[in-house]
Amino acid sequence: MRVRAAVALLWAAPLFAVMPPLPRPSPPFTITQPSGKKTPLASYRGKVVVLAWVHTNCQYCQALTLKLNKLQKELGPRGFQALEVAWNEGAEQLVPEFVRKFEVAFPVGYSEWPPIMAYMGFSVFDRPVTPLVVVIDRKGVIRAQTPAEGDSNLQNEAKLRTLIESLLTAR
């Protein structure tokens, strides 16, 4: 299984990728829910989206989940949508308990590593830290993205709120 995943990763991500410049159109991505339902990221077009790639057992990811919960409750009525995709081993089984434990008020799905690496524009040599955060405007354009080595600015609630609010008011 691990060999197959490694081969898939080699096909999904370029060997020597440089994170594409911002802003850029959000590539296609499908979020798989624990129920098996597949939701295309494009179905959230028209909303300001914060998409976080998380590990269910990561304390930084859990802290981000709580911040996104708060932002979803406060800014959701204005057109904000938080989403999370777990990608740690066993995520398919772990997501339901994660959602229950943290009382998540937004969709949480799961994915394997290769499609996430391809979406983010990372190379096979990158070893990304979690959480990874992507901020997408109403038109489906990525406005901010965590680099593979991480960026605490996109985990800071005040900075994230300021960015979201600026995108919510932009026309």
Side-chain angles (χ1 to χ4, degrees):
M1 181 67 168
R2 291 196 186 277
V3 172
R4 197 167 76 198
V7 170
L9 175 62
L10 286 172
W11 287 105
L15 285 178
F16 299 102
V18 175
M19 191 169 81
L22 298 175
R24 72 172 192 283
S26 175
F29 189 85
T30 300
I31 301 167
T32 305
Q33 303 295 325
S35 66
K37 178 184 174 193
K38 297 186 181 296
T39 306
L41 181 57
S43 69
Y44 294 100
R45 194 166 184 162
K47 294 182 178 256
V48 173
V49 174
V50 170
L51 172 59
W53 317 99
V54 300
H55 281 189
T56 57
N57 58 355
C58 162
Q59 67 181 0
Y60 303 105
C61 300
Q62 294 166 356
L64 178 63
T65 298
L66 297 175
K67 293 171 192 171
L68 290 177
N69 247 348
K70 182 178 177 183
L71 292 169
Q72 181 63 49
K73 289 175 185 170
E74 294 173 17
L75 302 175
R78 293 179 46 202
F80 169 67
Q81 181 62 62
L83 302 168
E84 286 186 338
V85 176
W87 59 291
N88 51 306
E89 192 168 329
E92 180 179 0
Q93 289 80 34
L94 297 170
V95 166
E97 175 61 19
F98 177 79
V99 168
R100 187 197 62 71
K101 181 178 179 181
F102 293 96
E103 299 177 354
V104 183
F106 54 83
V108 180
Y110 64 90
S111 180
E112 293 187 0
W113 194 32
I116 294 168
M117 295 290 283
Y119 180 91
M120 296 293 284
F122 295 159
S123 91
V124 296
F125 297 113
D126 287 324
R127 294 293 170 250
V129 299
T130 54
L132 296 169
V133 179
V134 176
V135 181
I136 306 166
D137 70 16
R138 292 179 189 270
K139 295 179 180 175
V141 175
I142 297 175
R143 296 295 175 171
Q145 173 181 325
T146 306
E149 64 275 7
D151 179 1
S152 60
N153 285 318
L154 290 176
Q155 295 176 47
N156 178 293
E157 184 180 341
K159 291 179 181 179
L160 197 52
R161 176 185 299 276
T162 299
L163 177 56
I164 293 165
E165 287 181 341
S166 72
L167 293 172
L168 286 171
T169 58
R171 288 286 160 202

